[in-house]
Structure formats: structure tokens, C-alpha cells
Amino acid sequence: MSVPDSPTHLSGMRARNLVLVLDAIDRHQPVTRARLAELTGLTKTTVSAQVTQLSALGVVADAEPVKDGGRGRPGAPVSVAPGPVAALGLEVNGHYLAACVADLTRAVRVRRVLVRDNLGAAPAETIDALGRLAREVVSEAAEAGLRPVGAVAALPGVVDQTTGTVSAPNLGWHEQSVAGLLRAALPAGIPLVGVDNEANLAALGELWFGAGADFGDYIQVSGETGIGAGIVVSGELFRGAHGSAGEIGHVVVDPNGPPCQCGGHGCLEQVAGQAVLMRAAGLDDTAADDDPVAGLLRLLDAGDARAHAAVERAGHGLGTALVAAVNLLDPDTVVLSGVHAALAPWLIPHAASALEHGGSRIRGGSPAIRTSGLARGAAVLGAAGLVVARVFADPLGLAA
């Protein structure tokens, strides 16, 4: 009979206790050590040791003393530290690149967006430009005393989490291996800890930085160059068996519609995608001297018939695609982000009408359709938030 490896067992238990204490601090901050012992079921001695270690890692810090209503001395609480540990979020989209640095309190400290046409550009060229943007925000964050400990990149395509390859037809990327390019482009000392689909990270951005916690179970539709959806169930992202859940942009809404890059016909992207909307409204989606979405909004405000017809068709297509998703997943809320959030006042009535006529009686009514307050910034925030979540899940990894 082999003898159990006691040191390894104890080490694993200490690591689990560290995560337990950090999670309690995050949920209840500012919180005293005595209260942490009550919340976690650990002894006060153990809690004090865990807090000391987390403080040494730069993850928690002392907060202002609080009175608990008693006559004794104020308690000495701790909170998640607003630095120096931080997270780097990155995003590639068809018409822009984005980067941000957030601290562990999920406060966004630096954010930059670079308007750039990435459609058809070589992956190496796009990632190189993203790396330059990342170095700019990291340099600015360093001036504020922040040190990103990892980076996550949001990409507008299907990301194979096993191989690390990305297929983003709208960018012209087909099973591209971009992880190596990203690692080489990142500022020195910042590891790449993840690459994920832009819509998935937008849904997480809404959960961690927006109003997602109040939406219950929700489907977040992210409309940019393409259209994707992130699915949040019980506060967790649902990825599907192969990580490609939420590809709502390739739900067929018009079987006789135009061909799609996925090989199908009449997909939602061919009805409600940004480029299609712009063309239908008579606008140039690639114009460098103007924001095409702003141009569309001006036409809608002016009552332009062609623009209103384009948005009506897009809204009806979006509602049609949502019928199957709603009947299958039964969400509390549908959240619109990206270009669809900007168009929400005109888009939602048509989408809601199509959704209502598509079988809502089965579930007693249609889910509420809301807009993301983060709009086009949700994905890059979700990317930074995923780094923060990794730190909370493994704070000892900071010392590795």
C-alpha cells in the first residue's frame, strides 16, 4: 500500500482555502477577518494567514476600518486591491482594434480603440498592430503603478480551444494559428492566458462590467462585422461541446437569401450584419473618414426611407433567428450589443414583433430585449475580466 503524499495534500488544501478566502473578500468587501472566518468556516488563524499571503501577492489590501455597531474597536477589513496586479484585454474586429487594462476590482484604468480596416488583412499584420496598441496601454498603465499579469484576446470567429486555431471568415482567416503571433506581439513579461470568441467575451463583459447580473439567464447578441451570441446560464458562460455555441449569425432566416461565407444561404449575417445594413441604406461600410454606424443613425433620425427599410428587415431577421434560440434555451433576457445596441430604438420593435409571432405562447411570452450599456466595448472588457477571473481562481499562479 502506498503512503499518501501528505505535503501535496496539504498544499492543495491551502491553495483551495486561499481561493475560498479571496472569493469571500470579492463578494463581501470590505470585510473583516472575523467575518471572513464566519463566511468560509475556516478558523480565524487560518483566515489571517490566507489574508497575509494574498496581501503579499498584491491581490488584497487593507480597507478603511468599519464599526460593526459594537462598543469595541473598529474592525480592520480588507478589500480586493486596485493594484498593482492588473489585466490586459485585447480585441480584433473588422473595423477596429481595442485594448484595455483593468485592475482586480474590475475598474477600467486605461482603454484605447484604433479605427482600422482589418478585413482581408493578413493575420500577422493585424496582430502586429494589436501588439503596438497593447504596448501603448501597458505603458500608460505602468505610469499608474499597474502591472498586467496576463492577456486575453477577443476574436470575431470560432476559436478551437484545443488547437488554438481561429476561423474568422469575415476577416478572411481560415483555421489560422494566431496564438503564437499574439504571444510574440505582447509586451514583454505578459503571458497570453486565453483567446476566445468575441461574442462570448462580450457576454462576460456584460456580466462583470455591465448589467448582466440583473438579466438572469441571457443571450447576448453581438453585432459587428459578423453576428454572434454569448449565452450566460446561472452566471456562467455556456460554450457548447466544442466551444462554438452561440453562432446565431449563421441561423438561416431566409432560405432563398444571398449566399453566406459559411456555405449556407440567407443567414442572419446576410440580413442584419453591419456591412449588409450599410449597403442596404446606401452607405459605404469601409469609409475611413466617417463612422458608418453614425452615418446610418443620422439617416434614421432624418426619416430616410431606405435606412428605415434596411433596419426593419434586419430587425425582422434578428427576431426570426431568436425564435429558435429562445424556444431552445428559454432565457430571461435578450441583450443587444455592438452595432445593434446603437440601432436599438429602431431595431427592437421589429425584432420583438417577429419574436412574439414566432411561438412565444409556448413559454408564456417573449423575453425582454435590452441593450448593453457597454455597447461596442463589451468584448475587450470581457477579455480583461477573464484574466481577473483566472487570478481569482489561482492567485498562487502570480508567484509562479
Side-chain angles (χ1 to χ4, degrees):
M1 178 182 295
S2 61
V3 178
D5 190 342
S6 298
T8 301
H9 173 73
L10 290 174
S11 175
M13 183 171 64
R14 292 189 186 108
R16 288 192 294 273
N17 288 344
L18 200 66
V19 172
L20 183 65
V21 170
L22 178 55
D23 180 68
I25 294 171
D26 184 42
R27 292 175 184 273
H28 301 280
Q29 60 187 314
V31 57
T32 64
R33 290 161 177 79
R35 179 60 177 150
L36 284 170
E38 295 174 2
L39 291 167
T40 61
L42 301 172
T43 67
K44 292 181 181 180
T45 300
T46 298
V47 166
S48 292
Q50 303 299 323
V51 170
T52 297
Q53 187 169 11
L54 289 168
S55 179
L57 291 169
V59 175
V60 304
D62 291 337
E64 290 294 323
V66 295
K67 292 287 288 185
D68 60 6
R71 301 178 62 183
R73 292 183 301 173
V78 292
S79 295
V80 173
V85 179
L88 174 63
L90 304 170
E91 180 185 1
V92 173
N93 224 296
H95 299 289
Y96 66 86
L97 301 173
C100 76
V101 172
D103 64 32
L104 295 187
T105 71
R106 300 182 183 87
V108 181
R109 307 287 290 274
V110 185
R111 188 188 323 195
R112 292 284 181 273
V113 176
L114 173 65
V115 177
R116 184 180 186 276
D117 184 9
N118 299 309
L119 302 179
E125 177 187 341
T126 300
I127 299 301
D128 185 60
L130 184 66
R132 291 194 296 272
L133 186 63
R135 288 190 287 275
E136 289 179 14
V137 299
V138 168
S139 177
E140 185 172 344
E143 295 177 2
L146 297 173
R147 174 178 56 85
V149 295
V152 166
L155 300 175
V158 177
V159 179
D160 188 320
Q161 296 294 336
T162 301
T163 65
T165 59
V166 178
S167 293
N170 291 306
L171 294 180
W173 297 6
H174 300 283
E175 295 188 0
Q176 292 287 335
S177 181
V178 298
L181 294 174
L182 284 164
R183 291 190 183 94
L186 286 174
I190 301 179
L192 179 69
V193 298
V195 180
D196 211 333
N197 171 264
E198 168 269 332
N200 282 343
L201 291 175
L204 289 176
E206 191 67 38
L207 180 66
W208 292 326
F209 295 86
D214 299 323
F215 289 154
D217 293 348
Y218 61 93
I219 300 172
Q220 178 143 338
V221 180
S222 181
E224 294 287 354
T225 306
I227 302 176
I231 303 165
V232 173
V233 179
S234 299
E236 299 286 342
L237 182 69
F238 175 74
R239 296 179 179 277
H242 303 94
S244 58
E247 286 296 318
I248 197 171
H250 298 291
V251 171
V252 176
V253 297
D254 180 5
N256 299 314
C260 180
Q261 295 185 67
C262 74
H265 286 77
C267 295
L268 178 61
E269 284 190 2
Q270 302 306 312
V271 174
Q274 177 175 312
V276 174
L277 269 167
M278 299 305 119
R279 289 196 299 269
L283 295 169
D284 182 2
D285 183 47
T286 63
D289 59 345
D290 192 13
D291 178 356
V293 178
L296 178 56
L297 291 174
R298 287 193 292 269
L299 290 179
L300 291 168
D301 282 332
D304 183 87
R306 187 174 177 183
H308 277 272
V311 173
E312 178 178 356
R313 181 168 180 258
H316 186 273
L318 177 60
T320 300
L322 284 169
V323 168
V326 166
N327 286 339
L328 183 64
L329 298 171
D330 189 27
D332 296 297
T333 313
V334 172
V335 185
L336 302 183
S337 65
V339 64
H340 294 148
L343 300 174
W346 299 273
L347 196 70
I348 286 179
H350 302 298
S353 176
L355 187 55
E356 183 178 351
H357 288 85
S360 60
R361 294 178 184 175
I362 295 175
R363 66 191 302 276
S366 301
I369 303 179
R370 301 283 185 255
T371 58
S372 169
L374 304 176
R376 305 181 86 171
V380 72
L381 294 181
L386 194 55
V387 178
V388 174
R390 298 286 178 88
V391 171
F392 283 10
D394 181 23
L396 286 175
L398 294 171

